[in-house]
Amino acid sequence: EFYDFIEADMLKAVELLPESYADARIPEETPHKGMAKAVLAEIYLAMAGFPVNDESKYAEAARLAGEVIEQADYYNFGLLDDIANLWKTGYRHNKENVFGLFFCTNGVETQNRINGAFVNDWVGDDIVTLTGGYNPEFRFYNTYPNNYRKLTSFVTGRYYTEWFDTLGGNETALQYKAYDPLI
């Protein structure tokens, strides 16, 4: 039921959102059809695997991803010339950002913020801390098959603000310090 709800929501987003990044409510920042199609393709890939196991979704994922790839310039998707620019504040709006939540620690520069609250829950004998306002459901995590894919698909830990020295001075970035709850 949850995946059906997400799929219906994203199909409605594809229908209602502006055509391209330039037409978005806040150009280059708020969602558009290309973003919705890319996210829906990712959702279809998830639905093809555990727990839905609907392999027919692979074809839909390929179709939508193909549309986005073929129209990458129109949607302003692509790769940056220098990967180091991905994490620099001046490159907040870039071609590699399919869907971004823009925030800063003081909340002045952007309209979105990560909620500083954190959630703790027990997984086996270990406590798992998930920070920010975007937390997965613990029941899904706990019932997911305990295998390599679980180990590589789920990351738990905390976000910290870090300063890094660069050739041009210094940059601040949100760094995720992960740990493996299965160990």
Side-chain angles (χ1 to χ4, degrees):
E1 290 175 17
F2 183 70
Y3 279 102
D4 290 341
F5 174 78
I6 292 171
E7 179 183 23
D9 235 18
M10 291 308 299
L11 288 169
K12 188 58 114 173
V14 169
E15 176 188 333
L16 297 176
L17 283 171
E19 286 297 319
S20 74
Y21 76 103
D23 302 320
R25 183 176 55 83
I26 301 173
E28 301 180 7
E29 186 164 323
T30 54
H32 54 81
K33 283 189 191 317
M35 180 280 310
K37 288 178 180 181
V39 171
L40 185 55
E42 180 70 23
I43 290 165
Y44 284 148
L45 284 176
M47 291 174 77
F50 177 84
V52 179
N53 299 316
D54 181 354
E55 292 187 10
S56 70
K57 297 298 183 188
Y58 283 126
E60 278 301 295
R63 182 185 65 78
L64 284 170
E67 285 181 25
V68 171
I69 291 167
E70 287 173 10
Q71 299 180 52
D73 289 338
Y74 180 68
Y75 294 131
N76 196 38
F77 293 150
L79 299 176
L80 292 177
D81 293 331
D82 184 354
I83 193 170
N85 290 333
L86 270 178
W87 297 276
K88 292 183 180 177
T89 307
Y91 288 85
R92 179 176 79 173
H93 302 292
N94 66 68
K95 296 186 297 182
E96 292 196 30
N97 182 19
V98 173
F99 177 72
L101 296 171
F102 302 101
F103 63 93
C104 66
T105 54
N106 63 15
V108 173
E109 296 174 16
T110 62
Q111 298 176 359
N112 302 311
R113 292 181 59 147
I114 284 183
N115 180 351
F118 63 92
V119 176
N120 290 323
D121 194 20
W122 289 95
V123 175
D125 294 329
D126 298 316
I127 193 161
V128 177
T129 302
L130 299 166
T131 60
Y134 316 104
N135 299 312
E137 183 190 298
F138 287 110
R139 185 172 60 107
F140 181 82
Y141 177 85
N142 290 335
T143 59
Y144 199 91
N146 194 14
N147 56 25
Y148 178 76
R149 183 166 180 174
K150 180 176 187 175
L151 182 63
T152 58
S153 297
F154 296 96
V155 180
T156 55
R158 292 192 63 170
Y159 283 100
Y160 297 91
T161 302
E162 297 283 347
W163 287 91
F164 298 95
D165 291 328
T166 64
L167 294 175
N170 58 42
E171 295 284 336
T172 183
L174 196 62
Q175 185 175 18
Y176 190 78
K177 296 189 179 178
Y179 62 88
D180 179 5
L182 301 176
I183 295 178

